[in-house]
Structure formats: structure tokens, C-alpha cells
Amino acid sequence: MVFKNIICPVCGGSCDDVQVNLDTKNRTIDVQNACKMGNAKFQEVVSSHRILKPTIRENGKVKDVSWEEALEMSADILVNARRPLFFLGSETSCEAQEVGLHIAEYLGAPADSNATICHGPTVMGIQESGMVGATAGQAKNRADMIVYWGVNALESMPRHMSKYGVFPRGYWTKRGRFDRTMVTVDPRVTPTAVASDMHLQLNPSSDYELLSAMFTILNGKEPHPSVEEITGIPISVMKQTVEMMKESNFVAIYVGLGVSSSYGKHRNIEIALNFVKEMNNYTKCNIGALRGHCNVAGFNQLASYLYGYPFGLDFMKGYPRYNPGETTTVDLLREKDVDAAFIMSADLVNHIPADCAKYLADIPMICLDIAPCPSTTAADVVLPGVIDAMECDGTFYRLDNVPVYFEPFTESPFSETKSNEDTLKQLFAKIKAKKEA
Amino acid sequence: MQALLNTGSTINEGRLAKGGNKYSEDYTKECAVCWMCAEDFTSLGCPEKVSVTSRDGKHTVAVRSKVTEAMRSGQVFIPRSIWANVVVEPDTFSTGSPRYKGAPVSVEPTDEEVLGAEEIVLTLYMGGE
Amino acid sequence: MADVILKPIGNFDLTVEAEVVTPDNFAGKTADEIGKVLVWQGPAEYPLTDFFTVEGNGGSSAEDTTIIVDGEIPRVKRIGQQMTAGKVIIKGSAGMHVGSAMEGGEIIVEGDADSWVGMEMKGGSILIKGNTKDHLGCAYRGSWKGMTGGRITVEGDAVSQVGGGLSGGEIIINGNVKHFCGIRISSGLIVVKGNAFRTVGAEMTGGTIVVGGNIERFTPGFELVDIESDLKFNDIECPGEYNKFTGDYAIPQKGKGTLYVSCDNNECL
Ligand code: SF4
């Protein structure tokens, strides 16, 4: 059967035009419009390596168990731990994340999500200086200058350039690519850089100095000459870039992990945001983050409106607190300040530094995921995941923080659960029963 | 050789990771790779494999080397993956996010075997359980 | 002066939050009562005696209460938070948030201190004899106003974001700093006797920063205005010749701060 307008649950692009032809008899799936990355995930619906049975590790051996047993054991681990960490990954719906947050609040535990190891500093930067943003459609219709700063869009959000950023023909950008100037700022000659009109190949971790110098130029002053050596970019080129921005009708800047992960982190974002604010005295200018995982923006939105903070929440004292560097996953694990972990829809072990991964493998860990990965290998309990946007409905937030409701084209392969939200609700009920007993 | 380690996505890394193929041969081929420029490669003696070690010397990972014009001398790149993260520094400068970009590492030629993702978890993280 | 001596006895598998350990709280309490004061570990509260032995009664008021922590407590946070008077001496290293929002009195840490020492401090003094990490005397997340009064002295090194948003008071670092020292300060004084890595005084709109060592990467938005020698700020002396810069011109705000950088150690400037 053919299904149209399916939402892709892979990266922050949340492309909403995917066409799927699912042959349930031969177990094949044909996917149109999605990129390589998206297509790969759609194949999971019929893949042979999908995790279909809950497992637990007993005396070092992994064995299959029933859902009931796996949930029971998960609840035991979480109730008996004094400070379990909840890592509510982004590759699932806001609805599932919401239940996870409520469990964390109930147990007085820390709760975090992918932003902490990804665009956390971006969110912190926004908190420091506010943001001039725009939806993807605005940029598509109006932007005649695109800046990819520290992001390799072609590879991390493959359809960004073709769907929102550079190529699409918009109302005021009728000739598509020809109506836009594309600039990439990246220390590496990435495919995105190759596709650009101009590439500023700055030295690694000198984003702050470059932004600060461009800001100084914008304010009509001459930056200190040492900045040329620090950034590897001549002041004349910085001036030219600022002039180009001022002369454009609408500048859309997309920042990636290159800005928020290199040192400077939230300060890089903060000065970029302030620069954009000031640039609006000359022309329309906005900024947005290219989010790698599909619903990573969703957790930030959800946690902010439910509990006031975007990530790295700690419910230890019964009310939410937040302090990146103290209540965030990598720090909690490095400092061994948690004693169990619940990891949902994110391969945490794969993405954190060795010391943290090692500690995570040491403590009791529950992992909810769809395919074998380092986290499921290291886990003590593995709960099979349901694939959002394919097997159940729910909500994602797109990279520009627009909520997107998605509907499934097939159903959960498990009779025991309809969705990750459902699994978490069952787990919560068990936790409550144990706690209140 | 001392170098600054950059990590990030590549399209095939994304395709394999999102497709649930982290334990495949292809994934190891794509991600257990250290990119560097020709100059650095030559100065290391054109090794087929290199070991990358974190600044504190605590963690080492063996990966294949790859020569590319995309890099400058003194900078290396490993696709975002478990291999790269073995040597990424856990210090977050009070931001929650570790040094995925610009962690100082040392790179030396090696004959050690390049491990798969699962083996890394089992041997490095779970103590060979 | 009454001394209350706390000797750590362990159980620090998870970190402990002990914002109740202040002279204000201990004043007027006997050793027994102090032992029953509750501190947080994870989502539960436990009496102080689970972690420390307590010796000596508190004084009649905060002013005459001295708390001596006789040991290493790198996993105990928030000692001396919001204290207004009296004295706290930590004989080893201390965890995060020492003297956060402190209003008066004195804290001495003989070892190292973790991040967030003296966050938004209003008065009193803190002396760290070892090293400290990030956000010393800094503003809380999202706030633009950090420390407003008092003095923090660090004999060793600090790392990043020293004195972020400083709007009064003094910070003296005898060692080195790394990134964003004095970011967005509007008033007050920061003296770094050692080296700084980068972005010193970024976004500053007032106040004074002195760097006696080398700045590896100078902040772009500063303009050289003068050369001065042998600086003196009340009792703080900075001998030698200094380039005087104003900035940061990278931000549109009107006010500008002053940045003194040692001439000898920064020939390229
Ligand atoms: S760009 Fe992202 S959302 Fe769009 S199809 Fe590719 S992976 Fe899916």
C-alpha cells in the first residue's frame, strides 16, 4: 500500500513529504523523497536486526524475557536506585518524553536529553540573549543570503539545502539557488563548503573571535589586527562578509555544532545572536540551529513549558533546578553522581566520552531502543522500541521549533505496547505501585 | 604527532547509524577512520592504521588513516561515533557538552587491530565481560 | 569566638548539598543540634552526622561562629551559601558553589574549590588557596549581573568565565585563567597576575581588568589608548608597564571598560 505525506523521524528537518510503499507480505518497503539517512530508518520497519524481544542481563548473560518481567525489573532498578538518571532521547515523540519527565519528577531524579550533548550550548546562548528567529518557510521564501556556520548541512541534514535553505524557489526568491548567495564558515572543506559561493575556512575554535571582529566592524570600528592570525581570516574578508549581509534583503544564518561544541560554546551563540539583533538595524536577519536528531527541539520545548528549563533538569529537591555542568548527563556520569540510568531512544554509550560511558556500563542501566547499538549491549534491561511516525502517532518539533503532528502508516509490532509512550506509562504505573506499597 | 581532534557527521555515518547498522562492517569502515592531510600522513610514515590517544593518556583507540585535502596540518577528523568518543575529553567547561571539537590528541602509527563498535563496548567499557 | 569542627567521615558516594552549613545556621545551636541539621543527598535528606562528626557548639551569633571543616570535601556543595557573617574554614578541597550569594563574613578554602565559587556574591571575602574551576564570582545562568561586592582571592588558577557580569567587588587571581575572563562586566575589578588564554573582557561595558601575564589570543574589539605604569587600586598593586585598552567595541552598548595588559609579556600587542 502507498502512503503519502509521511513525516520522516530521523533528523531535525522533519520532512513531511515522504511517500512510502509498504509490502507487508514480502516485508519490503519502498521510500520516495527521503534522503539516504531517512531512507535507512524507514528500512527499520522491515529490517532483520530490529530488537523484537525484551532482554535482561543475568550474571553477565543476556536472555530473552517477557515484557512483564522486563518492565518489572526496570521498575525495580529505578525504585531501588537513589539517584537514577533519565536520558529521554530525541528519537521519539514528545508524548513519550513527557511521561519520562513525569517519572523523573516523581522519583526526584535528574532528566536530560540529546540537547545536552548537542545543541545545549545553543539553548543556553538563547537564554542569555534572546533570539531573532524565523520559520523554515520564511527563510525559504525570502532569504537571499544563507550562512551555514559550523554546520555541514549536506551531511547532517541532507535535505535542508534542497527543501528549506538554498535551492527551493520561494515567493521572493523565484530563481531558487540563483537568487541566493551561500556562505559557509567551517574549518573543514566539507561538501557544503564546496557547494558554497564563499567559504571562510577559519581556524578551529576561533568562532568567537571571528564573530566579535565582525561585530566590531558592524559597529564601525576596526578590530584588533591580531584577529587575522587567530582566526586565519583576513580583516578585508570579514568586512566584505559584513557588507554582503548588510546589502542582502534577508539573511538566514544556520548554526551547527561547530559553533556550539567548539570552545566558547554558549558564548559563541550568544554573540552570534547579538550580532544578528544588531544586523536587523540594516536588513532582515535571523538565525536558527540545524538540529541533528529529529525531536531534539521537542524536548527543549516540552521541558521548558512543563518545568521551566530546556534540558539538564534535576528534581532532587522536588522542584526543577538546572545547571549545565552540574545537572547534565556527561557531568553527572563523570562525577559518578548517579547510580542507575534509564535511556530512551538515544544511543548514549556511543555518544559520550569514554570515562562516562564506562561508568554508565557499570551501573544498572535500562535501555529502550529499536536496534542493537553500544547502549543496548551495555544495558541490563533492554525494552524494544516502537518507531514513531511509522508505527504510532505523536508530535515532533522541527528544527525551527514548529510542532509537527505525525501519523503512522503501520502499527506497533508488539501486542504488549502501542508506542514508547505506552511503554513508559506501563513502567510508571509499576514504579508507582512499588513506591507506594 | 600532536593534533586537534574534530568530530562530526558524515552522510554515511548518518545513514548507517539511523538504519540501526552500528554493528556492521560498513559502519566500522566509515567511522573508525582518522582523516588527515597528506603532509601529516607522510610525517607519520604513511601508516595504514593509527592509534589516537587522549591528552591525559588514559584512552587510546586504533583506527584506519585516511588522507584528504579537507584537513589542514595539525588537525584530524574522526566521524561522530564510538571511536571518536573514546578520546573526546569529558570535561564540559560547565556547559554539559564535552569537547567534540578541538580536543587535543596524539596520533601515532600502530599495528593494533581496529575494533568494531560492539567490541569496543565489551572490551573498553565493560572490562571484557 | 566559638569553633564548630566538622570532620568528614565518608558516605559521599553521591554528592551532598549542604547549604545549611553556615555560621548563620549554626549560631545558637549545640553540637548535638548541629549534628541533626539536615542536608540533601539525592532526593532525600539526612542528618549532618551521617557525613561528619561535629565538635563544639555554635556561638551566640553568626559573627562569633567559626566553622572548621577538617578534611577534604570535594563532593559537598554549597557550603557557606548566603552567609552574612562569621567564618568558614575548609582545610581541604571543597565542592561546587562555595559561598554562593554570600553577603558577609569570611570563607577560606585551603585546597581547591570546584566551579561557581561566590556566585552573585554581595559582600564578605573568599580566599581559595588552591585552584578553582569555572564561573568564579559569576552571574547565574541567563542573568547579566554577577558579583556586586566583596572580594575573592584565588592563589592558584581559575579556568573559564571568571567574574562573568561582575558589577562590583574585586576578584584577584594569582595564577592563570583560560577563556572569557571578565565577560560582560559592567563595574568592579579583576586582576589576573598570570596568563589568560583568550577572550579577556569580552563584551565588557565598564569596570577594570588587569592581566599581568600573557594573553594568547587578544579580544578583537579593543582599542589601545595609553600606556600606564605601576597601577594601584586601593591596596592592590600591579607593578610594571601596562598597555591600556578600552572596549569592547564588539557590542553596541555605550559604556566601555578598561583593560590593562602587561607590556613586557605581550610584545605583539
Ligand atoms: S533531511 Fe532529515 S527529515 Fe528529511 S528525509 Fe533526510 S533525514 Fe529525514
Side-chain angles (χ1 to χ4, degrees):
Chain A
M1 232 180 106
V2 177
F3 301 87
K4 287 190 175 165
N5 301 334
I6 298 298
I7 313 261
C8 172
V10 177
C11 80
S14 299
C15 295
D16 52 5
D17 56 353
V18 180
Q19 189 174 319
V20 173
N21 188 352
L22 180 67
D23 182 343
T24 36
K25 246 217 247 102
N26 299 315
R27 298 196 59 73
T28 59
I29 184 167
D30 178 51
V31 183
Q32 302 287 328
N33 294 348
C35 68
K36 259 192 198 178
M37 228 159 74
N39 186 27
K41 178 110 179 199
F42 278 93
Q43 298 302 329
E44 286 290 272
V45 173
V46 295
S47 85
S48 53
H49 57 235
R50 177 89 184 263
I51 297 175
L52 291 169
K53 286 227 171 60
T55 58
I56 62 169
R57 176 194 309 279
E58 226 176 41
N59 309 320
K61 288 231 159 41
V62 178
K63 66 169 194 190
D64 287 352
V65 291
S66 69
W67 276 83
E68 178 62 24
E69 275 174 90
L71 284 171
E72 197 64 29
M73 181 157 163
S74 307
D76 275 335
I77 289 177
L78 295 173
V79 169
N80 291 330
R82 291 166 66 207
R83 189 159 159 80
L85 166 70
F86 284 80
F87 193 85
L88 307 166
S90 57
E91 290 185 21
T92 189
S93 64
C94 288
E95 287 79 355
Q97 291 171 344
E98 182 180 351
V99 184
L101 275 166
H102 291 326
I103 303 180
E105 183 187 21
Y106 180 79
L107 291 174
D112 207 350
S113 184
N114 290 60
T116 191
I117 45 171
C118 149
H119 270 294
T122 310
V123 180
M124 287 160 67
I126 295 172
Q127 196 177 24
E128 297 278 347
S129 36
M131 178 169 98
V132 185
T135 58
Q138 284 278 359
K140 170 184 160 185
N141 282 319
R142 296 171 194 269
D144 57 352
M145 181 168 175
I146 310 283
V147 182
Y148 285 113
W149 195 305
V151 63
N152 178 10
L154 264 182
E155 302 199 276
S156 59
M157 193 177 286
R159 292 184 68 205
H160 187 266
M161 279 169 66
S162 59
K163 197 161 185 298
Y164 306 115
V166 180
F167 296 105
R169 292 156 200 272
Y171 193 85
W172 283 280
T173 47
K174 288 231 161 43
R175 297 185 307 146
R177 175 71 176 90
F178 302 108
D179 277 339
R180 301 185 218 264
T181 312
M182 177 180 167
V183 179
T184 298
V185 186
D186 202 308
R188 210 157 49 97
V189 187
T190 59
T192 312
V194 172
S196 315
D197 301 310
M198 183 171 166
H199 176 204
L200 303 185
Q201 193 175 4
L202 83 174
N203 293 329
S205 303
S206 63
D207 304 78
Y208 188 91
E209 281 85 356
L210 181 54
L211 280 159
S212 173
M214 285 171 61
F215 210 164
T216 309
I217 292 167
L218 187 65
N219 289 331
K221 285 268 181 183
E222 191 72 14
H224 195 273
S226 65
V227 74
E228 293 197 336
E229 202 191 312
I230 296 170
T231 58
I233 310 273
I235 291 179
S236 58
V237 175
M238 298 179 195
K239 286 189 173 156
Q240 186 194 348
T241 315
V242 172
E243 270 320 302
M244 272 164 69
M245 286 184 169
K246 279 176 71 183
E247 279 160 19
S248 302
N249 292 326
F250 190 108
V251 188
I253 302 176
Y254 298 100
V255 293
L257 285 187
V259 189
S260 61
S261 271
S262 62
Y263 198 70
K265 298 202 184 237
H266 58 297
R267 299 299 185 196
N268 293 344
I269 299 292
E270 189 186 311
I271 191 155
L273 293 167
N274 284 329
F275 175 79
V276 167
K277 265 193 245 168
E278 193 61 19
M279 189 50 95
N280 275 286
N281 284 337
Y282 303 90
T283 184
K284 286 258 180 260
C285 181
N286 74 81
I287 188 165
L290 282 200
R291 305 278 199 135
H293 297 281
C294 81
N295 196 24
V296 62
F299 185 86
N300 299 152
Q301 295 290 331
L302 186 74
S304 297
Y305 83 66
L306 284 173
Y307 295 113
Y309 301 113
F311 65 98
L313 297 105
D314 186 356
F315 293 101
M316 170 179 145
K317 289 193 171 174
Y319 53 88
R321 290 189 303 168
Y322 153 90
N323 187 17
E326 183 180 9
T327 61
T328 34
T329 303
V330 172
D331 302 275
L332 287 169
L333 291 169
R334 190 194 56 233
E335 297 300 324
K336 302 187 174 16
D337 202 13
V338 287
D339 60 353
F342 177 82
I343 295 169
M344 170 170 78
S345 304
D347 185 4
L348 194 56
V349 173
N350 200 30
H351 288 299
I352 53 177
D355 287 340
C356 308
K358 229 178 181 153
Y359 184 65
L360 191 56
D362 273 355
I363 57 179
M365 170 166 110
I366 303 146
C367 185
L368 187 156
D369 217 322
I370 55 172
C373 61
S375 300
T376 56
T377 302
D380 296 279
V381 182
V382 175
L383 297 166
V386 179
I387 309 179
D388 291 276
M390 299 189 206
E391 299 169 342
C392 61
D393 67 342
T395 313
F396 289 149
Y397 278 76
R398 205 166 66 181
L399 76 155
D400 50 358
N401 293 322
V402 171
V404 178
Y405 172 71
F406 55 82
E407 280 176 313
F409 56 85
T410 175
E411 55 190 24
S412 160
F414 314 108
S415 56
E416 294 87 349
T417 184
K418 290 200 301 288
S419 62
N420 294 341
E421 181 194 3
D422 187 9
T423 312
L424 259 72
K425 280 187 171 155
Q426 294 178 35
L427 179 63
F428 198 5
K430 286 206 183 316
I431 289 173
K432 270 191 182 151
K434 282 184 200 290
K435 262 273 179 207
E436 275 145 37
Chain B
M1 178 184 81
Q2 300 298 316
L4 288 183
L5 171 69
N6 190 354
T7 72
S9 56
T10 66
I11 181 81
N12 285 319
E13 175 270 326
R15 173 177 62 86
L16 293 159
K18 307 288 182 181
N21 289 310
K22 284 189 185 141
Y23 287 165
S24 69
E25 193 72 12
D26 286 354
Y27 186 69
T28 310
K29 268 205 191 119
E30 175 68 27
C31 299
V33 178
C34 179
W35 303 21
M36 59 185 90
C37 69
E39 193 187 328
D40 291 350
F41 182 66
T42 326
S43 79
L44 286 173
C46 308
E48 187 199 331
K49 291 179 285 187
V50 290
S51 68
V52 183
T53 308
S54 59
R55 170 162 51 178
D56 59 6
K58 256 169 82 185
H59 303 286
T60 297
V61 68
V63 291
R64 290 190 187 86
S65 49
K66 167 177 166 175
V67 182
T68 153
E69 285 182 357
M71 303 306 296
R72 288 179 170 183
S73 179
Q75 298 171 19
V76 295
F77 174 85
I78 305 181
R80 170 174 72 195
S81 62
I82 195 157
W83 294 273
N85 289 328
V86 169
V87 288
V88 162
E89 294 192 354
D91 202 349
T92 73
F93 295 95
S94 300
T95 64
S97 117
R99 272 238 217 164
Y100 291 119
K101 316 262 177 194
V105 293
S106 66
V107 183
E108 300 302 336
T110 188
D111 287 327
E112 261 176 64
E113 201 191 331
V114 175
L115 300 178
E118 187 168 20
E119 290 163 298
I120 291 209
V121 183
L122 293 173
T123 57
L124 257 50
Y125 295 168
M126 298 174 73
E129 246 183 74
Chain C
M1 267 302 206
D3 287 353
V4 180
I5 301 172
L6 304 179
K7 230 191 172 86
I9 51 172
N11 297 328
F12 300 112
D13 50 338
L14 295 176
T15 58
V16 170
E17 289 202 12
E19 64 274 23
V20 289
V21 177
T22 60
D24 303 70
N25 258 314
F26 285 7
K29 288 196 175 78
T30 64
D32 247 12
E33 287 167 329
I34 292 173
K36 288 192 189 116
V37 164
L38 297 177
V39 294
W40 289 87
Q41 186 178 43
E45 287 177 292
Y46 303 92
L48 204 55
T49 47
D50 279 17
F51 309 97
F52 297 93
T53 56
V54 184
E55 228 177 87
N57 304 328
S60 56
S61 68
E63 279 92 45
D64 21 73
T65 302
T66 297
I67 302 174
I68 299 169
V69 179
D70 193 5
E72 300 281 332
I73 47 162
R75 289 172 78 78
V76 180
K77 302 175 183 173
R78 301 188 183 278
I79 299 261
Q81 175 165 317
Q82 288 174 318
M83 67 187 263
T84 61
K87 198 165 172 180
V88 176
I89 301 171
I90 299 172
K91 298 216 151 160
S93 295
M96 286 177 147
H97 303 282
V98 169
S100 185
M102 172 173 178
E103 290 172 26
E106 187 183 356
I107 298 180
I108 297 171
V109 180
E110 296 188 347
D112 298 339
D114 211 321
S115 301
W116 295 98
V117 171
M119 178 191 91
E120 299 190 1
M121 174 171 174
K122 298 191 185 80
S125 74
I126 302 181
L127 170 64
I128 312 286
K129 294 197 174 170
N131 302 321
T132 183
K133 292 195 178 149
D134 307 322
H135 293 280
L136 179 87
C138 196
Y140 179 65
R141 302 267 177 212
S143 164
W144 287 37
K145 231 175 149 189
M147 181 170 163
T148 51
R151 175 180 289 189
I152 305 180
T153 311
V154 180
E155 292 187 350
D157 301 337
V159 187
S160 297
Q161 327 268 354
V162 167
L166 189 77
S167 22
E170 293 140 4
I171 298 179
I172 300 149
I173 315 270
N174 286 328
N176 308 317
V177 297
K178 283 269 197 294
H179 311 253
F180 298 100
C181 173
I183 175 139
R184 210 190 262 156
I185 71 172
S186 59
S187 176
L189 172 71
I190 301 178
V191 177
V192 178
K193 303 240 168 101
N195 306 323
F197 180 56
R198 69 186 277 223
T199 47
V200 176
E203 299 167 37
M204 73 192 283
T205 56
T208 306
I209 302 178
V210 182
V211 180
N214 173 259
I215 301 184
E216 195 168 325
R217 287 159 58 171
F218 195 64
T219 320
F222 280 81
E223 214 175 51
L224 183 65
V225 284
D226 204 358
I227 294 183
E228 286 179 19
S229 45
D230 300 327
L231 311 174
K232 202 160 183 291
F233 308 91
N234 298 325
D235 60 326
I236 305 164
E237 292 185 29
C238 308
E241 269 203 337
Y242 289 86
N243 283 326
K244 180 181 184 184
F245 293 88
T246 54
D248 184 356
Y249 288 102
I251 48 163
Q253 274 84 342
K254 282 257 155 46
K256 295 297 163 210
T258 309
L259 172 60
Y260 291 99
V261 186
S262 155
C263 294
D264 289 348
N265 295 320
N266 296 279
E267 278 164 20
C268 56
L269 295 180

